[in-house]
Amino acid sequence: MMVTATPTHTWAGVYPALTKPVIGKYSPNHNIDKVIALALGQVGFVEGVNNDNPYGASVGMNHEPYCCLGVSWTFRNVGLVDLVAGQYSWGYAECQGALNIFASKGLVLPHGTPAKAGDIAMWAWDNPNVAEHTELIIEDQTPSGLVLVGWNTSPDHANGSQANGGGTYLRHRSVYGLKAIVRPRYPQ
C-alpha cells in the first residue's frame, strides 16, 4: 500500500499535505482523519492554464475537470483507493457514472440521513437527474449546511462556476442541489 503525503508534481499554490492527522479530530476512525487531513492540505491549490492540475496528471487525465480526480487522488494517496474505485482502479473521473456505481454497492445514503466526516457529496445544480460535481464532506453543520473540500470549484462567495472552477477550496454550502451523500466503507 503506497502512501504519499504530497503531490508528485509541483504546481504553484499546492499546499503541502498534512502528514500526521490529528486522530479523533474529525472522526474516531483514523482512516477518515487521514483522508480529511490530506484533503485539507490541498486547500489553496489554483489550477494552471486549461485545468492544469496534479490530480488528473497523476492518472494521465490532466487538463480535464478534476473534482472527481481530486477526491480519488486523496483516497489513493492514503492507501484507501478501493473505497472509491469502480470506474477505474485508481478511483473515478465522472460524477454520475460514479454515483451509479456507488448506488449499486449500497453506499448512497437514504435522503435525509445526516452526513458524517469523510462522506462524499454529489451535487446536481443544473439538472436534478445528473450529478455534476463531487466534494469531500468535512462536517455536517445542519441546518446551515455542509463544510467540504472541493476540487475544481470556486471559493466561497465567488461568482465563478461551482462545478468547474479554478482550484481547491474549503466550501460552506447549503444543501441546495445536493443529489446524494455517499458513505465509503472505511476500515477501522
Side-chain angles (χ1 to χ4, degrees):
M1 169 176 13
M2 181 181 116
V3 178
T4 305
T6 58
T8 57
H9 298 80
T10 55
W11 270 260
V14 176
Y15 288 8
L18 303 174
T19 57
K20 293 185 179 177
V22 179
I23 304 304
K25 180 171 175 69
Y26 299 100
S27 167
N29 184 322
H30 73 281
N31 286 305
I32 294 172
D33 280 353
K34 288 190 315 188
V35 168
I36 289 174
L38 184 55
L40 288 171
Q42 303 310 298
V43 170
F45 165 77
V46 176
E47 70 186 40
V49 175
N50 191 25
N51 272 353
D52 185 25
N53 70 87
Y55 316 108
S58 69
V59 293
M61 294 184 74
N62 198 11
H63 304 289
E64 299 290 336
Y66 56 94
C67 61
C68 299
L69 299 167
V71 173
S72 296
W73 178 92
T74 303
F75 278 82
R76 191 170 61 256
N77 281 283
V78 296
L80 296 172
V81 69
D82 56 313
L83 300 183
V84 295
Q87 285 182 316
Y88 300 95
S89 61
W90 48 258
Y92 63 104
E94 187 269 321
C95 295
Q96 186 59 48
L99 181 55
N100 294 341
I101 291 168
F102 291 142
S104 75
K105 294 179 177 182
L107 301 177
V108 176
L109 300 179
H111 183 71
T113 303
K116 292 184 179 180
D119 287 349
I120 298 169
M122 301 296 244
W123 302 97
W125 294 297
D126 291 337
N127 178 342
N129 298 314
V130 180
E132 63 185 291
H133 188 67
T134 185
E135 296 175 324
L136 182 70
I137 297 173
I138 306 302
E139 184 179 0
D140 186 339
Q141 294 184 339
T142 300
S144 64
L146 302 170
V147 178
L148 315 100
V149 171
W151 290 260
N152 198 34
T153 192
S154 295
D156 271 352
H157 312 296
N159 291 328
S161 172
Q162 299 309 301
N164 189 12
T168 304
Y169 299 100
L170 187 64
R171 295 304 321 250
H172 302 83
R173 295 195 192 274
S174 74
V175 294
Y176 169 79
L178 181 63
K179 181 165 179 61
I181 296 173
V182 175
R183 180 155 299 151
R185 291 187 183 108
Y186 287 93
Q188 290 298 318

